[in-house]
């Protein structure tokens, strides 16, 4: 089982979070607004109280951190921080006017304080989907680093945690890019990722400082079992994925909220299995002719977003992939995941280019910890109409 389907991905761009300022104070016409005091006078006319001091400028809320995408597929921003309370009240007005032997002249009224500033606006996105809010006070639970971290050099093949061959496509460190794990089909190799993912997509990831980690067959020294039954990959391979994820966040500046996985056939089953067995840090999984043969225990309470792609009755090699997709979909929905299922009606690993593009948009639109999917109210324009919320 081997994927050769082409994928187009949308580009990332930075969104901008808006801030608002509100000024509290008074106008020159408010000269009568002076503080009430009294006093005997000698002048012919009462002297007006001086103008009370206006409220100070309220400080705007901090901007939300955007995760922006292209105009075709946005990456949602996080909401802005609450605004600092508004300006202080104005000081009392001027001293009382004085008159010849008469009653004391009243002072002016105090000037009003500045109005409170509203909270900072939420981060915006460049695409059609809405913004996402992170889980308050929570974040991905990354594995502990075990031993020496590999160097993430573009074009290299690394040996990590017992796995003797993971092909790395990488950009410059420190740019908060995404990490994508790719799992090939039976009989395939890590080169499948290079053939399946278009050059423009690889360049997008490189330019964003991201990493594609493509596993080169079942080369782990462990004997933990197999998610697909084909021996194309091993459950022990997830130990290598753990080390890559933890080291990539620590040493390469990968955004821990944007760790994803995909793959086709045996690799699609591996990416479905990874969603359950590495739910603590995986943000989303998009199996192509994959899913799970049988549901496995979830690693923790977090629920990665799931986007399954499969064909009809002809999408079958030993197992029927519409069924393995549905098995993962149901288990994920029950666990609390947001799930989209796409039946393209074609053959095995034959997800068309628009669907592959939609899968990447879905992953970008669902970082770790989102509380409300931007796809919940309606699937965004441009997504194939056979994609349905499960």
């Amino acid at each position: 089982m081997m994927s050769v389907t082409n994928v187009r991905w949308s580009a990332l761009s930075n969104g901008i979070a808006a801030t608002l300022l509100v000024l509290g104070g008074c106008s020159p016409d408010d000269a009568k607004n002076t503080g009430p005091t009294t006093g005997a006078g000698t002048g012919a006319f009462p002297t007006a109280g001086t103008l009370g001091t206006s409220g100070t400028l309220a400080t705007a809320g901090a901007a939300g951190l955007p995760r922006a995408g292209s105009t075709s597929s946005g990456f949602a921003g996080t909401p802005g921080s609450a605004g600092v309370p508004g300006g202080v009240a104005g000081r009392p007005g001027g001293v009382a006017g004085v008159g010849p032997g008469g009653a004391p002249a009243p002072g002016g009224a105090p000037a009003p304080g500045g109005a409170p500033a509203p909270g900072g606006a939420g981060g915006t996105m460049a695409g059609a989907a809405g913004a996402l809010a992170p889980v308050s006070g929570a974040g991905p639970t990354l594995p502990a680093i075990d031993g020496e971290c590999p160097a993430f050099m573009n074009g290299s093949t690394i040996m990590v945690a017992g796995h003797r061959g993971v092909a790395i496509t990488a950009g410059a460190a420190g740019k908060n890019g995404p990490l994508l794990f790719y799992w090939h089909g039976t009989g395939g190799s890590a080169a499948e990722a290079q053939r399946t993912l278009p050059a423009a997509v690889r360049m997008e990831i490189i330019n964003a400082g991201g990493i594609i980690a493509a596993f080169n067959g079942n080369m782990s020294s462990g004997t933990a079992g197999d998610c697909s039954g084909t021996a194309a990959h091993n459950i022990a391979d997830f130990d290598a994925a753990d080390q890559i994820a933890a080291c990539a966040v620590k040493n390469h500046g990968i955004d821990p909220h944007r760790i994803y996985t995909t793959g086709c056939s045996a690799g699609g089953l591996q990416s479905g299995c990874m969603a359950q067995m590495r739910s603590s840090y995986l943000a989303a999984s998009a199996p192509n002719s994959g899913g799970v043969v049988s549901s496995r225990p979830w690693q923790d309470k977090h629920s990665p977003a799931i986007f399954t792609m499969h064909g009809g009755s002809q999408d079958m090699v030993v197992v029927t992939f519409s069924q393995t997709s549905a098995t993962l979909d149901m288990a994920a929905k029950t666990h609390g995941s947001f799930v989209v299922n796409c039946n393209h009606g074609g053959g095995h690993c034959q997800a068309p280019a628009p669907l592959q593009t939609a899968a990447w948009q879905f992953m970008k639109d669902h970082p770790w910890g989102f509380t409300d999917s931007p796809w919940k109210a309606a699937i965004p324009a441009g997504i194939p109409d056979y994609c349905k919320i499960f």
Side-chain angles (χ1 to χ4, degrees):
M1 292 178 272
M2 177 174 177
S3 170
V4 293
T5 305
N6 196 29
V7 171
R8 297 183 307 177
W9 296 21
S10 55
L12 296 170
S13 64
N14 288 326
I16 301 174
T19 58
L20 299 176
L21 299 177
V22 178
L23 176 63
C26 52
S27 70
D29 291 335
D30 293 325
K32 63 183 179 179
N33 290 343
T34 55
T37 61
T38 60
T42 57
F45 298 100
T47 302
T50 61
L51 180 64
T53 303
S54 65
T56 62
L57 179 64
T59 303
L65 298 176
R67 303 193 190 285
S70 70
T71 54
S72 59
S73 62
F75 191 90
T78 57
S81 305
V84 177
V88 299
R91 295 196 298 269
V95 298
V98 291
T124 59
M125 56 174 295
L132 300 174
V135 175
S136 177
T141 303
L142 290 170
I145 294 174
D146 184 10
E148 186 175 353
C149 283
F152 299 108
M153 298 176 60
N154 189 41
S156 66
T157 298
I158 62 175
M159 300 171 61
V160 56
H163 198 290
R164 296 183 295 277
V166 182
I168 298 297
T169 300
K175 298 176 71 173
N176 212 40
L179 168 61
L180 176 67
F181 290 108
Y182 187 90
W183 307 93
H184 64 72
T186 303
S189 69
E192 181 179 301
Q194 299 296 313
R195 294 192 303 269
T196 301
L197 303 176
V201 170
R202 298 195 299 272
M203 287 306 300
E204 175 188 329
I205 293 174
I206 290 172
N207 291 338
I211 295 173
I212 302 169
F215 282 76
N216 195 33
N218 178 8
M219 301 178 70
S220 289
S221 58
T223 56
D226 181 7
C227 290
S228 69
T230 68
H233 303 287
N234 194 289
I235 290 174
D237 295 343
F238 295 145
D239 295 337
D242 290 348
Q243 183 78 344
I244 290 170
C247 291
V249 169
K250 178 178 181 290
N251 295 337
H252 201 80
I254 290 297
D255 183 351
H257 296 83
R258 296 197 288 156
I259 301 176
Y260 310 111
T261 187
T262 189
C264 183
S265 196
L269 294 171
Q270 185 81 349
S271 62
C273 187
M274 188 180 188
Q276 294 191 302
M277 300 188 74
R278 293 300 185 268
S279 59
S280 67
Y281 66 82
L282 201 67
S285 176
N288 179 14
S289 289
V292 291
V293 176
S294 60
S295 183
R296 295 176 179 270
W298 295 86
Q299 185 183 30
D300 71 357
K301 64 182 181 179
H302 177 251
S303 301
I306 302 295
F307 187 93
T308 51
M309 301 172 278
H310 62 87
S313 59
Q314 64 270 45
D315 189 2
M316 186 199 52
V317 182
V318 182
V319 297
T320 301
F321 285 92
S322 59
Q323 183 56 54
T324 57
S325 296
T327 300
L328 174 61
D329 292 344
M330 181 57 72
K333 183 176 181 179
T334 300
H335 190 61
S337 298
F338 182 77
V339 180
V340 170
N341 179 286
C342 301
N343 182 355
H344 56 73
H348 185 57
C349 288
Q350 295 301 309
L355 181 55
Q356 296 275 20
T357 301
W360 179 239
Q361 178 178 335
F362 178 87
M363 287 189 278
K364 292 192 295 182
D365 285 352
H366 294 84
W368 196 100
F370 72 91
T371 56
D372 199 12
S373 169
W375 293 40
K376 183 177 179 180
I379 290 180
I383 305 301
D385 59 8
Y386 48 76
C387 292
K388 308 295 183 184
I389 296 174
F390 188 83

